[in-house]
Amino acid sequence: MLTPEEIKEIEHELAHYEQPAAATIEALKIVQKHRGWVSDEAVADIAAKLGTSPASVDSVATFYNLIYRRPVGRHVIHVCDSVSCWVMGQTRLSDALQQRLGVKLGETTTDGRFTLLPICCLGTCDRAPAMLIDQDTHRDLESVEDHRLDAILEKYK
Amino acid sequence: MTLRTAPPDRPLTDRIRPEHEPYNLREYEKHGGYQGLRKALKMAPQEVTALVKNAGLRGRGGAGFHTGVKWGLVPMDGSAKQKYIVANGDEMEPGTFKDRLLLEGDPHQFVEGIAAAGYAIGATVGYVFLRAEYFLAAERLRKAIAECYAHKLLGEDIQGSGFTFNLYLHTSAGRYICGEETALISSLEGKRAVPRAKPPFPAQSGLFGKPTVVNNIETLCNVPHIVLYGAEWFRSISKSVDGGTKIYGASGKVKRPGAWELPMGTTAREILEEHAGGMRDGLKLRGFLPGGASTDFLTADHLDLAMDFDTIAKAGSRMGTGQMIVLDDHTSVVGMLRNLEKFFATESCGWFTPCRDGLPWTERILRDLEAGKGRPGDLELLQQQTRLLGPGRTFCAHAPGAMEPLQSALKYFRADFERGIAGTAPAKVA
Amino acid sequence: MTHARKVTIQMDGRSFEVPADSNLLHVLLEKGVDLPYFCWHPALGSVGACRQCAVTQFRDDNDKTGRVVMACMTPCSNNLRVSLDHPEAAEMRKAVIEFLMTNHPHDCPVCEEGGHCHLQDMTVMTGHNYRRYRYTKRTHRNQDLGPFVGHEMNRCIACYRCVRYYKDYAGGKDLDSFGAHNHVYFGREKDGVLESEFAGNLVEVCPTGVFTDKTYGDSYTRKWDLQQAPSVCAHCSVGCNTMPGERYGRLKRIENRYHGELNGYFLCDRGRYGYQFVNREDRPRRATRKNGHVETLSVQEATAAVSELLKGGRAIGVGSPRASLEANHALRALVGAENFYQGESKASAELNALALDILARGPAKIAAIRDIERADAVLVLGEDVLQTGARVALALRQAVRQEAFKMAEAAKVPAWQDASVRILAQDAKSPLFVATPAATGIDEIATRTFRGTPTDVARLAQEVLHLLDPMPAPRAPGLSDDDVHLAHTIAEALKKAERPLIVAGTGCGSRVVLQEAANLCTALAKLGKQPSVSLVFAESNTVGATLLGGPSLDEALARVDSGAADTLVVLENDLYRRLPAARVNAALGKLKHLVVLDSIPTATTAQAEVILPAGSFAESDGTLVNFEGRAQRFFQVFVPNNGDILESWRWMQEIGLAAGRDMGDALDALTAACAASAPALAPIVDAAPSAKFRIAGLRIPRQSHRYSGRTAMHANKDVHEPRPPQDPDSPLAFSMEGARINLPPAEIPIFWAPRWNSPQATITRFQQEINGPLKGGDPGVRLLQPDPAARPPYFERPAVLDHAGLEVVALHHLFGSEEFSALGEAVRQRVPAAYVALNPATADRLKLADGATAAFAGAGVTIQLPVRLKAELPEDVLGVPAGLPGVPTVAAGSELKPAGGGA
Ligand SMILES: Cc1cc2nc3c(=O)[nH]c(=O)nc-3n(C[C@H](O)[C@H](O)[C@H](O)COP(=O)(O)O)c2cc1C
Ligand code: SF4
Ligand code: FES
């Protein structure tokens, strides 16, 4: 069941489009904002709300990189793996993160704190390598000493 | 309200205060803001379009299509009840970070631009398609939009002109292909971002089947200035046949990576050596992608070329977004290509065959070559793919974009690839 | 389609005259060029996704480089110059296949698609025979999609045909594409039965082995080892053309058999999967006689016994709307015309006669499926076509797209540019109105719907009639303002349309609905329109049986009651599905002898003294007349190897012979005699060439030229190769030898052309033009030729019936309401449990909760079943599923009352 708050937000978006199904992506993002991810049940609820089918909502949901169809940790770390960051040594950053968190890319730490994912160019190539944790962009991570990484991760409980 | 005394020569970044909050509406107006829109509203829509055409504004999204010409394709005879203008703020081209700068630094400039553009084509609704990760830009834009609604600069009957324009922000859910204009339209319709066949062009049948213009954020930001200061002025601040300035940029192992608003047609050398401070100590320039991941490599031999659409095209590349990615002599060319092709392969929407199934193959061969496990014939295969996925063969420009760095790398750095054939030492990764 | 300007195009030294702006791929395929393709499908149009149909296009004669374009996306302009042979195009086509195959598992030896696989054909055609891709292939998890369709996603080449067919064309909701890049996945959002009534077509639409026919896969035979014959679907009145295939005495599958005007490329799932009853072990397989105990008779003993029973002169025969014209005629000839009765209740027979009369005498064109697809305004009256004539509903889904095509034409976008047309038109639909007692599966595409009893539906139509022709047609009484407004909307839409269509049928059991449908056609004709009409009947040969005529079953039973007849011969008919059981039992109780010929076990065979095992559609030949009055011949697919099954008409020929009456010894004699019996039937002899027809002296083989194991398949019984069965009834042979080219369209047992093995692709080789008629004309002959100038008087306004109890409204189920299909294993899994339906308010008044079992009585029946609440049903109506196993037979329009005694 969608919560009244989710419904209100979805209806707000609906008002912006000529066709209800156009709000599919917004609806998915709204649900994800509140719950962290989008369950099968939520897919069906969104479909009912927008007058489309669960299959077509899921078809959209699974297409986009930033809709999570499986539960994620409390915080999601997106490490940029595109070219400028790569040139600037993002591989080291990504390796370091995997080591510190004890997970591989695409996995969630056992304590449910972090999910580690790769992401395309974050648009901050002049300060590469970069990563996004939740909504915060962390830049200039070329030389990732452990204590700096720890200090960053510390902020996310 | 004050007018700027003299027309600026860096109009786009003039009002940006680095590391500060952007101007709010009052401050923006104090610095000459919304004068362009006000002026436009007093003109006939077709006049605005003609002005933009004369100014020689070319799309800053990468393809460099003439903006005025694109607007001119929209039916203005009243046959279309609803039309749309869409701002392309997807900016997922690796190496590109200019639209973010503009939106975070001066959101009102953009709102003014899209409203004027909407007026020119007769669109009453505009959408900003913004990539998901630009949280700060989204926040600032939302605030600017709200201010405009509160002050009758958006919504019904703007400033008593009779023109109604509603602007909505759509944040993406993440996919590079959303930046392709027809895929972007699919995505705005709440669908999978799959590109569409042309014709019909969006100007005839775009969003929800209605005439639609898609323009890049930077393109739209130029519009108020052109209206305000005129076509002549716009051409005068450029060093090239194309009008205006350009937000150039550089990333990679240069001393001062960054982005700068410079006259259109500034040379690559000036950008690289003066503004980016040249290569880091001990590194040499091997090549650069002039405007994002989907442009052909150029080399040190091309540094004196003017960075404008036609000059760079003549040299066998594309200016693209004008934001260079620099390759130094300590970084593996093959590794860089592998990284690029992995990006393109995973960002393929999966609609048509060569792109969907060809790119992953390309990436795997490159992975082998990078690890020194390539096989004889691999380079020929890559070469063939650059042809098969190249311009004219594909459904949209994603795959040809993917082939541009590859084909040029095979041309300029072939030996690096040859070393990846099994038996030779693997190319070292930086 | 239209009389377009002609242009000349050039291809590799050949030049063709073609209509301007026609699609280059269409044109080349029509000319017999071997140009590979995937994402294009003749019914789905072009999207340019697979990039397989690459050709090189040149600017002019001096241009030697050219540029590679997709034929399927290229309109033919004058002097278009293209080349298939040009190295760049050839390289492109080869490379595309190579790309497609990078993730394909190469599992042809274990794949059900092998041998009729479009992907195999195209791979061979492009010359891709060496694999350079050396990496791991991506793999997927498969889904359980229910009893009909198998799923093997690893074989997918991502051509997107499945979703384009299922979602865009058939309006399905539960199949889609998921994920992106080379991980795209085609399936449901989770495991589960594919909901569309047309899901089975995926099997043919998918160019490789992702979606396969599960019933076929469960008992698999290679395509080239199937013995096939052209057939006609036995499961409803539309009469789609089918291609059944047999091996080792079992029917293995049904495929679509293209018919340009009728089914086109698609069947419904009842038609595709309904065949399994043929393989049931418990079918009557030997002649038996009950005489205290059941004894088995030889064919000779059985014919002798029945001819003996007929001798008394007190025998009558009851025919069947699910038996061929020839079978019905043979029975009539055997018992004598004065002793022959239609196998329908009086109520049904009268309704059928009325419907037939409307078709024959009205001004409206009788719509073939193709005409339905082209209608630009449709009014459906009373009939739930998705359940009673499903193929019509699929056609209506295309009809509402006429608006889109009009918009495309205005924007100069060719109709074949599928994606562009859809983008342009978005949700625009041409008008469709559905006025029925219960909700239907096409409501979602309707402009507006109307719910009411059949009488209400007729009143709405009467109001529309009044609006079309105010003077003679009075206003309908008792309509709400809303309904009057709806009538206005409908009338306006019909008036505005160029090709208005009225759809109705016998399914709701209402005379007045049919009469109003007829009135509307007449009124539209008076307005100068060219209306079409489509009336759905109940069974595969209802129209044929009605044309043949005869008194009804009620009269036959009355004759038995009166003692004037003591022997009843029932032809392929279960009397218990026609009249209430009590009524049938009363008559049968008086009989001395009941002889039943049937292919399936029924309540009637259970009462029979003598049972003669009759051939199913797959084991016999004959002629059926479909809902548009088209006589179509179906042919015997195989000779059953288990038992003494004979065509029912052959039994009667044999019995006749034993009784000294010569009715010939093959089909043709009966067809001719039947044709001679009534002027309307005269053309049926032309439905297909006679048994004497030969091509260069040769018969037409039912087996492919690669049919294998012929000499070994019986070796477990006898190492001598048996003589193949002879076929005196058709030009077809149970053999792999004979003529294979220039076959008459009605007698094509295998659609095959060199290099083209997949049926939906091969078909282009047999069409006059893409989507057009078969070369030589579409099979069948139309028996009804309405006169556009006819202006029959309007039927009287419907009488207002006062119902004291609950009015029975028939509810239909695609899976369950039809007798044959419900006997098959796969379909049985889709058949709902028996129930009756009530409007919630009515249920409330009767103090019945959803799911409670309740009893209702009246009209000679008692029904005791669980109640299902259906909000859209009118009040005071009892919805009774027609023909559903476990639901007693009761005529629509009967009145029932709660009978207490509910559990
Ligand atoms: C694969 C692909 C990605 C693109 N991404 C972007 C993008 O992120 N932002 C953008 O403005 N244009 C992008 N474009 C270009 C757009 O298709 C389009 O040309 C542009 O938005 C038009 O605006 P302009 O005329 O103002 O440049 C992309 C094109 C392709 C083929
Ligand atoms: S499942 Fe079949 S029809 Fe669907 S995309 Fe894959 S190959 Fe094409
Ligand atoms: S058939 Fe032409 S691109 Fe697929």
Side-chain angles (χ1 to χ4, degrees), chain B residues 57-67 70-71 86-93 96 98-99 129 131 175-184 195 198 213-220 294 309 318 321 343-344 347 396-402:
Chain B
L57 174 63
R58 293 179 68 173
R60 307 296 198 236
F65 197 80
H66 287 273
T67 307
K70 193 189 264 187
W71 294 2
V86 179
N88 189 343
D90 194 48
E91 193 157 76
M92 278 182 74
E93 180 79 22
T96 303
K98 62 189 182 65
D99 298 339
F129 189 101
R131 71 173 296 192
R175 271 272 163 219
Y176 172 65
I177 197 64
C178 291
E180 197 281 333
E181 63 179 358
T182 58
L184 182 145
K198 296 181 244 184
V213 162
V214 179
N215 273 134
N216 172 255
I217 299 275
E218 186 186 348
T219 312
L220 291 169
S294 61
F309 293 107
R318 287 190 308 120
T321 63
F343 166 81
F344 287 112
E347 290 305 312
C396 88
H398 178 83

Side-chain angles (χ1 to χ4, degrees), chain A residues 13 15-19 21-26 29 56 58-60 62-67 81-84 86-92 118-127 132 134-137 139 142, chain B residues 82 84 92-97 100 127 131-135 168 170-175 178 187-193 208 210 251-253 257-258 280 325 328 331-332 335-336 338-340 343 347 349 429:
Chain A
E13 293 298 335
H16 298 174
Y17 298 101
E18 344 185 326
Q19 288 167 12
T24 303
I25 295 168
E26 263 99 356
K29 289 185 75 169
S56 70
D58 204 19
S59 168
V60 172
T62 54
F63 181 84
Y64 292 96
N65 290 330
L66 296 172
I67 302 296
D81 65 356
S82 291
V83 62
S84 299
W86 181 85
V87 168
M88 300 303 286
Q90 78 76 225
T91 326
R92 251 176 296 134
I119 197 166
C120 301
C121 181
L122 287 170
T124 180
C125 321
D126 50 341
R127 301 183 58 185
L132 184 75
D134 300 340
Q135 302 206 357
D136 315 324
T137 312
R139 306 179 160 95
E142 186 176 356
Chain B
Q82 176 73 61
Y84 293 106
M92 278 182 74
E93 180 79 22
T96 303
F97 47 101
R100 168 185 202 142
Y127 293 96
R131 71 173 296 192
E133 297 86 339
Y134 284 4
F135 296 103
Y168 304 115
H170 168 99
T171 60
S172 175
R175 271 272 163 219
C178 291
S187 190
L188 260 187
E189 289 178 1
K191 299 174 179 148
R192 297 160 65 84
F208 305 114
K210 311 285 160 42
S251 63
K253 294 200 169 148
R280 284 185 179 183
I325 305 164
D328 58 84
T331 297
S332 156
M336 181 163 167
R338 195 259 308 136
N339 174 281
L340 285 167
F343 166 81
E347 290 305 312
C349 74
V429 182

Side-chain angles (χ1 to χ4, degrees), chain C residues 200-219:
Chain C
N201 294 311
L202 286 173
V203 167
E204 292 187 58
V205 165
C206 176
T208 172
V210 178
F211 296 108
T212 52
D213 180 335
K214 222 178 207 175
T215 63
Y216 180 42
D218 286 347
S219 150

Side-chain angles (χ1 to χ4, degrees), chain C residues 130-376:
Chain C
Y130 174 78
R131 182 170 151 212
R132 294 190 291 176
Y133 182 77
R134 58 179 187 265
Y135 304 100
T136 324
K137 292 167 182 281
R138 62 106 181 83
T139 49
H140 288 296
R141 200 184 65 83
N142 301 324
Q143 292 180 324
D144 182 348
L145 300 175
F148 293 161
V149 181
H151 194 221
E152 183 62 56
M153 252 312 285
N154 289 346
R155 297 177 186 143
C156 177
I157 55 158
C159 67
Y160 290 83
R161 270 191 190 190
C162 50
V163 281
R164 291 180 54 225
Y165 162 73
Y166 194 91
K167 276 182 80 174
D168 297 349
Y169 188 93
K173 302 277 178 291
D174 59 331
L175 182 105
D176 225 312
S177 46
F178 302 94
H181 53 95
N182 67 340
H183 292 171
V184 277
Y185 186 90
F186 299 85
R188 295 187 83 250
E189 75 274 18
K190 48 175 164 267
D191 289 39
V193 179
L194 282 173
E195 286 158 12
S196 167
E197 294 78 4
F198 308 95
N201 294 311
L202 286 173
V203 167
E204 292 187 58
V205 165
C206 176
T208 172
V210 178
F211 296 108
T212 52
D213 180 335
K214 222 178 207 175
T215 63
Y216 180 42
D218 286 347
S219 150
Y220 183 66
T221 292
R222 285 282 174 219
K223 165 186 172 147
W224 59 79
D225 285 341
L226 291 174
Q227 177 165 269
Q228 301 192 145
S231 192
V232 173
C233 182
H235 306 289
C236 89
S237 71
V238 178
C240 294
N241 287 198
T242 58
M243 195 72 94
E246 170 270 358
R247 177 90 166 164
Y248 301 123
R250 287 176 73 83
L251 207 52
K252 297 286 188 176
R253 68 154 187 215
I254 299 278
E255 270 195 337
N256 183 69
R257 178 165 66 96
Y258 180 83
H259 188 293
E261 295 225 286
L262 214 46
N263 45 299
Y265 308 88
F266 304 123
L267 300 174
C268 79
D269 285 359
R270 185 199 270 177
R272 186 180 297 274
Y273 296 105
Y275 74 89
Q276 285 182 312
F277 75 94
V278 173
N279 297 333
R280 274 178 80 119
E281 277 312 311
D282 63 353
R283 278 179 56 188
R285 292 190 178 272
R286 289 188 194 281
T288 56
R289 178 169 204 159
K290 225 183 322 191
N291 211 346
H293 67 288
V294 179
E295 69 180 304
T296 303
L297 308 177
S298 70
V299 174
Q300 287 75 15
E301 287 165 350
T303 46
V306 176
S307 73
E308 203 43 50
L309 295 180
L310 295 181
K311 270 193 187 141
R314 297 180 9 113
I316 59 173
V318 170
S320 170
R322 64 162 160 87
S324 66
L325 279 177
E326 287 84 349
N328 276 295
H329 175 80
L331 176 62
R332 186 169 65 179
L334 185 67
V335 296
E338 65 291 357
N339 300 320
F340 174 77
Y341 296 83
Q342 284 190 56
E344 296 260 27
S345 70
K346 189 158 188 289
S348 298
E350 285 175 1
L351 208 57
N352 293 335
L354 171 65
L356 187 60
D357 194 55
I358 289 170
L359 290 182
R361 270 187 245 186
K365 175 170 187 201
I366 304 172
I369 293 289
R370 260 310 137 83
D371 301 314
I372 296 175
E373 291 175 350
R374 291 189 189 131
D376 57 352

